[in-house]
Amino acid sequence: MARPVDANERRLNLIAYLDERRTARVTLDDIVNNVPGYDNPDQPIPRDPDGDLTPDTTPWDSVRKKVRRDVKDISEKLRIDIAYNETEGSYRIGRPFFTPAERRALVAAASLIELEGFLPADRTGIGQVVGDDRAQIRVTIDDWFVPLVQAIEDRTPIRISYDGRERVVEPWFLGRWRTAWYLVAGDPDHDHQMRRFRMDRLSFADDQVSFPVVGEPGSYDIPDDVDAEEALDLDPNSWGPDPATEVEVRVAADHEYRFMQEFDAEIVERTTDHVVARLVVRHRTSFVIRILAFRGQAVVLAPPDVRALVRDHLASTAGVA
Amino acid sequence: MARSKGEQFAILGEILAAVDERRCVSIDDVASQYGITREEALAIVEPVLYVEFNPADGANPITWMHELEFDGEDLMPGIGAEQNGTPIRNLETRPPDHDTALDLYLSAAIMNSLQPNPVLATALEKLADLVPVTLLVPIEQPPALGVVQQAWSQRRSVHTRYLADGRTEATEREIVPWRVYANWGRWYVKGTAVDHGEERTYRVDRMLDARIGDVEYERPDDIPIPQWFDMDHNSRTVRVRMPAAAERSLTAPVVFADRVVLDDGWVEVTVTVHGDPRLDHLLVSLPPEAEVLEPAECVARRRDHAAALLADYS
């Protein structure tokens, strides 16, 4: 006697069977004949001399409804759609949204990266059940993240309070530069020019994160000629107001990597104890301050006017005439 | 409260997905997650343990894509499922819901910036249709990271020349890496130095070189990624008077407090940094016309540090 088949097992059997026969025409007969759980020995479906099910009988109608209920449950609970073709009288499982390789890659990414403060831990869906214990990378998602993403998706202008000043912006991109999040947005009051806002300098009334909407969704387009990576390059030497000046700096060998992290430079000379790095400076004030962080391990060699800039700053600070 | 068959089916789907994604799931964790008893959890998974079926049309047996094994405590993918199975989530025909798509998009974008991968790139393209937002979350990979991760996975120590914060010269270290992780955009190793057992955190980008050492070790369980570093013991605070326009030029991380705007476009503000090297840097970063108000010793400290640096420009 056949082992009784649980309803959930039957539904999974149906998925497995339809998955195996993606290219075939699978009828109700095929399902009843091949998938355990549909053929009810207590209520056998009448068959014709060829062994095919006889339609429009009570048992036939009952099993047809059972399959339809299962198809509906599978769709609702497991997000797997099974289409019924009325003309052919056949069932076909849909094409997966992600390929198996894509899903594996997404699950691997989700297992290595913990997005702290984003989705609740008990959420379901691809990659949501991997644990944080394997995470190697944590990215903190603040309360402003989801509403801001929503504004970008909807292309809705919003009001922000930045450095104590209220302004309306058209959010374009979000991203990180070094250790901080930045918003790149258009300024509707100034011909939609690009502006960048460091997110930890935004303030919210009563500390409640919200972005009052100022306009309808779809109110603006993100300009095609704006490159997100360039927009989020916040190195002062990329956007600074001063004339571009090529500068050479002697850097102690142990500080080379740190220097190259700080500045977009190229090494033009290397000895056992130091390197000479060349870079373009476009923001002199920022450059002086950043070079002083190396505590004498990075010293400006040329040009003379930039070297003098650092020297004069230090001399004035030291009280040396 | 008893769960309906439909609810049980949804739970079963999640369990199957969890086993596939995590490879091993405790039955007690399952019960706890769904608010059911261990017995109820077992009843839900029982029909899908060790199963395959033979279709009557004479084709090969259909190995259950969902076959599970249960050792009395944990659920794992069954042998058949490992060899022939199709994880249930691979069959999802519908795109993920918005929040899941955003979550996946972020993870995939970060991962793809670390290790570009054509498969992940195509998944990202699909997700970008669901989440039409450009998010850039680059995470730098310091040169020593590969060796450190290898040492961690082999449970071996790592030799490195380490340039500690504020030091001018690197020193030799041998570190036992308990956990390697990135947080706040930087990579860290939590572990101990071989020559002393004290737990420390090291920044991988300060490792000037790295090679796998000879010391083998047992990795402690449950080394969490810290939520924050407690730097309070290292904080240094000064009160300064300076042009307001110069505040922004001070490099992070600095914390401003008690800001008073003066009539002449200047401000008085209390600035906190962490550690003596950052204090020194803050003091010489101020515009020369700025005044250090307190503590008094920082006035001389500023002057002396500037004079020391000036020697390189004489």
Side-chain angles (χ1 to χ4, degrees):
Chain A
M1 185 178 151
R3 180 177 65 86
V5 176
D6 168 89
N8 289 340
E9 181 182 350
R10 182 186 71 230
R11 292 169 183 144
L12 295 175
N13 285 343
L14 177 61
I15 299 169
Y17 182 73
L18 292 172
D19 183 44
E20 284 278 331
R21 281 153 182 72
R22 281 184 174 273
T23 55
R25 175 174 167 266
V26 176
T27 63
L28 186 64
D29 278 44
D30 295 324
I31 291 171
V32 172
N33 291 337
N34 293 294
V35 181
Y38 288 102
D39 191 8
N40 182 355
D42 297 334
Q43 193 183 23
I45 308 171
R47 294 173 185 262
D48 66 17
D50 294 331
D52 294 335
L53 305 181
T54 307
D56 302 325
T57 60
T58 303
W60 180 89
D61 197 47
S62 170
V63 79
R64 186 179 61 89
K65 285 179 178 167
K66 186 188 279 186
V67 171
R68 289 201 173 172
R69 275 198 307 273
D70 285 354
V71 164
K72 183 166 174 279
D73 276 346
I74 289 166
S75 171
E76 287 177 356
K77 310 297 185 196
L78 301 188
R79 307 174 67 83
I80 299 170
D81 289 326
I82 296 167
Y84 177 67
N85 184 321
E86 291 277 357
T87 312
E88 289 186 350
S90 64
Y91 296 84
R92 182 160 290 170
I93 194 165
R95 187 188 175 92
F97 183 76
F98 291 115
T99 67
E102 287 169 351
R103 182 176 160 271
R104 269 198 306 278
L106 288 171
V107 171
S111 72
L112 289 174
I113 295 163
E114 177 193 347
L115 300 174
E116 190 197 39
F118 185 29
L119 297 178
D122 58 354
R123 273 193 58 80
T124 59
I126 291 176
Q128 302 304 306
V129 293
V130 294
D132 292 340
D133 51 340
R134 283 190 287 164
Q136 289 191 10
I137 299 169
R138 176 189 284 162
V139 175
T140 304
I141 304 295
D142 293 295
D143 291 345
W144 48 258
F145 184 81
V146 170
L148 198 47
V149 164
Q150 193 64 57
I152 297 174
E153 282 186 34
D154 296 344
R155 310 293 194 255
T156 309
I158 55 171
R159 188 183 305 282
I160 63 172
S161 177
Y162 191 76
D163 277 349
R165 183 184 152 201
E166 296 275 318
R167 45 167 93 210
V168 174
V169 297
E170 298 167 341
W172 293 351
F173 317 117
L174 259 179
R176 286 178 73 91
W177 189 72
R178 302 214 165 145
T179 56
W181 282 98
Y182 289 84
L183 166 67
V184 179
D187 183 348
D189 295 331
H190 293 88
D191 198 23
H192 307 275
Q193 284 179 32
M194 184 176 77
R195 301 274 186 259
R196 289 172 287 209
F197 304 95
R198 190 172 153 141
M199 290 305 298
D200 58 9
R201 292 181 182 154
L202 262 66
S203 56
F204 300 96
D206 302 324
D207 288 333
Q208 295 295 309
V209 172
S210 70
F211 297 102
V213 168
V214 189
E216 297 295 315
S219 293
Y220 62 90
D221 290 318
I222 299 172
D224 291 336
D225 59 347
V226 177
D227 179 83
E229 282 190 33
E230 284 180 19
L232 284 161
D233 176 2
L234 286 110
D235 184 341
N237 281 336
S238 299
W239 56 264
D242 300 324
T245 306
E246 203 165 79
V247 174
E248 287 191 353
V249 181
R250 187 185 71 232
V251 182
D254 281 356
H255 294 259
E256 176 188 343
Y257 179 71
R258 193 176 146 227
F259 187 87
M260 299 301 280
Q261 276 185 301
E262 181 66 36
F263 296 104
D264 181 15
E266 62 170 326
I267 303 299
V268 295
E269 184 184 318
R270 186 182 295 280
T271 70
T272 52
D273 65 347
H274 74 266
V275 296
V276 174
R278 184 179 293 157
L279 68 149
V280 174
V281 171
R282 291 190 176 83
H283 196 301
R284 292 188 169 205
T285 304
S286 154
F287 174 71
V288 170
I289 289 174
R290 291 157 79 193
I291 210 82
L292 294 177
F294 286 84
R295 299 172 67 85
Q297 303 304 304
V299 176
V300 176
L301 300 176
D305 61 326
V306 177
R307 187 173 160 84
L309 192 69
V310 183
R311 185 190 61 225
D312 293 348
H313 175 94
L314 290 170
S316 297
T317 305
V320 178
Chain B
M1 191 178 73
R3 299 278 184 155
S4 70
K5 267 293 176 194
E7 288 173 322
Q8 288 183 19
F9 189 50
I11 292 173
L12 180 58
E14 288 304 316
I15 294 171
L16 292 168
V19 171
D20 175 55
E21 292 188 357
R22 300 187 71 160
R23 317 309 294 167
C24 180
V25 176
S26 143
I27 194 74
D28 292 327
D29 287 351
V30 165
S32 162
Q33 181 168 1
Y34 296 105
I36 54 182
T37 65
R38 179 188 168 94
E39 289 67 34
E40 286 170 321
L42 280 169
I44 288 173
V45 299
E46 193 278 332
V48 297
L49 298 175
Y50 318 112
V51 179
E52 69 176 20
F53 67 93
N54 293 283
D57 59 10
N60 291 330
I62 295 180
T63 304
W64 247 28
M65 59 183 133
H66 326 292
E67 181 195 44
L68 300 180
E69 286 188 11
F70 180 56
D71 66 1
E73 288 302 325
D74 296 320
L75 294 160
M76 292 156 280
I79 294 171
E82 286 282 39
Q83 290 175 346
N84 308 308
T86 302
I88 193 104
R89 283 256 164 82
N90 277 10
L91 300 175
E92 285 187 9
T93 53
R94 294 200 208 155
D97 64 47
H98 177 269
D99 284 357
T100 303
L102 180 55
D103 182 278
L104 291 172
Y105 179 87
L106 258 174
S107 300
I110 294 167
M111 204 64 217
N112 211 38
S113 77
L114 286 170
Q115 292 173 326
N117 170 340
V119 174
L120 207 50
T122 60
L124 266 171
E125 283 176 21
K126 291 179 181 177
L127 290 166
D129 288 339
L130 307 174
V131 187
V133 177
T134 300
L135 299 167
L136 291 184
V137 194
I139 293 183
E140 196 168 353
Q141 290 198 81
L145 182 62
V147 173
V148 172
Q149 286 179 320
Q150 196 182 348
W152 174 82
S153 66
Q154 295 177 1
R155 292 173 166 75
R156 298 266 294 274
S157 60
V158 59
H159 275 285
T160 182
R161 291 181 61 243
Y162 190 77
L163 184 63
D165 188 22
R167 297 294 175 88
T168 55
E169 288 186 9
T171 54
E172 298 283 340
R173 314 265 181 118
E174 186 172 8
I175 296 165
V176 171
W178 287 347
R179 185 158 189 177
V180 182
Y181 63 91
N183 202 0
W184 311 289
R186 299 189 195 285
W187 284 93
Y188 298 88
V189 177
K190 191 167 189 176
T192 61
V194 167
D195 58 0
H196 64 77
E198 197 178 332
E199 186 180 314
R200 293 251 174 101
T201 299
Y202 303 88
R203 262 175 59 176
V204 181
D205 64 339
R206 290 186 181 149
M207 295 180 175
L208 303 185
D209 56 26
R211 62 185 167 83
I212 294 178
D214 299 323
V215 176
E216 297 180 2
Y217 69 98
E218 285 299 313
R219 198 185 297 152
D221 293 332
D222 192 25
I223 301 291
I225 297 178
Q227 295 287 340
W228 63 82
F229 291 134
D230 184 359
M231 306 285 278
D232 285 353
H233 65 285
N234 219 12
S235 62
R236 307 283 186 272
T237 297
V238 290
R239 184 149 185 89
V240 299
R241 183 183 297 139
M242 62 192 294
E247 281 177 288
R248 277 295 158 78
S249 301
L250 302 179
T251 48
V254 292
V255 178
F256 296 103
D258 301 329
R259 186 172 184 270
V260 176
V261 179
L262 307 175
D263 293 337
D264 50 4
W266 283 45
V267 292
E268 280 188 18
V269 64
T270 299
V271 189
T272 299
V273 294
H274 294 106
D276 287 335
R278 287 202 178 85
L279 174 62
D280 288 336
H281 182 228
L282 168 69
L283 293 172
V284 295
S285 296
L286 297 169
E289 65 272 26
E291 286 179 66
V292 175
L293 303 175
E294 57 185 46
E297 62 264 28
C298 280
V299 175
R301 183 179 186 128
R302 179 188 184 205
R303 190 177 58 234
D304 293 349
H305 187 51
L309 297 180
L310 185 60
D312 290 314
Y313 290 88
S314 300

